Amino acid sequence: MTNQEQPVSEFKSKSGLKRIVSALGYSIAGFKTAWKGEHAFRQELFVVVIATIAALLLPVSALQKLLLIGVFVLVLIVELLNSAIEAVVDRVSLERNPLSKNAKDFGSAAVMLALFLAGATWLVILWPLFIDG
C-alpha cells in the first residue's frame, strides 16, 4: 500500500446493484432495531404518523405540507443518528466517562434542536390559519 491509499474495511460494501440491495437490507435492519430498542424512536414515529395525517388534511399549500411533514422526518433522522452515537459509545465502553457523556449529551441536544425546529415550523405555518384567519 502506498502512502496515498486508504485502508479499506473488510466490511465495506460491494458495488453496483448488489450494494444498493445490501444497503436497503441494512436500512430495514436499522429501522427494526430502532423500533425494538429505542423508546424515543417509537414515540417520535407515532408523532410523525399523526403529524403527517394532520398536515395532509390542513388547508395549506403542498410546499407547506411538505415542510410540516419534513421537519418531523428530520426529527426521526436526528434520533437515529443519536441512537447510533449512543450505540457506538456503549460499544466502546460501558464505564462512565466525561467524553462518553458529552457524546451522548450532544446527540440529545441535536434531537432537542430538531424538535424545536419542528415546533417552530408548525407554529409559523399554522399561526395564520388559527389566529389571523
Side-chain angles (χ1 to χ4, degrees):
M1 173 171 17
T2 67
N3 289 341
Q4 299 298 323
E5 293 180 31
Q6 295 292 319
V8 177
S9 168
E10 65 180 279
F11 302 108
K12 191 72 176 158
S13 63
K14 293 85 182 154
S15 62
L17 185 58
K18 186 168 183 163
R19 184 197 64 77
I20 294 170
V21 171
S22 294
L24 178 62
Y26 301 144
S27 298
I28 291 169
F31 280 122
K32 286 180 180 179
T33 301
W35 177 259
K36 289 178 186 175
E38 298 295 329
H39 298 288
F41 179 80
R42 288 194 302 271
Q43 293 167 342
E44 291 158 355
L45 186 59
F46 178 74
V47 172
V48 169
V49 170
I50 300 300
T52 298
I53 294 167
L56 293 173
L57 295 174
L58 286 167
V60 296
S61 73
L63 179 60
Q64 289 172 320
K65 290 176 190 290
L66 178 63
L67 285 170
L68 292 172
I69 296 166
V71 291
F72 276 115
V73 172
L74 177 65
V75 169
L76 285 180
I77 292 167
V78 175
E79 183 62 50
L80 288 169
L81 292 171
N82 179 44
S83 296
I85 290 167
E86 290 177 350
V88 169
V89 167
D90 290 346
R91 166 65 175 92
V92 170
S93 175
L94 293 175
E95 293 179 21
R96 294 199 183 271
N97 180 291
L99 294 176
S100 297
K101 181 181 183 329
N102 285 349
K104 290 184 173 190
D105 289 351
F106 294 156
S108 180
V111 173
M112 183 184 71
L113 288 175
L115 286 166
F116 285 163
L117 176 63
T121 301
W122 276 72
L123 183 64
V124 166
I125 290 174
L126 298 184
W127 186 271
L129 291 177
F130 298 104
I131 304 304
D132 295 341

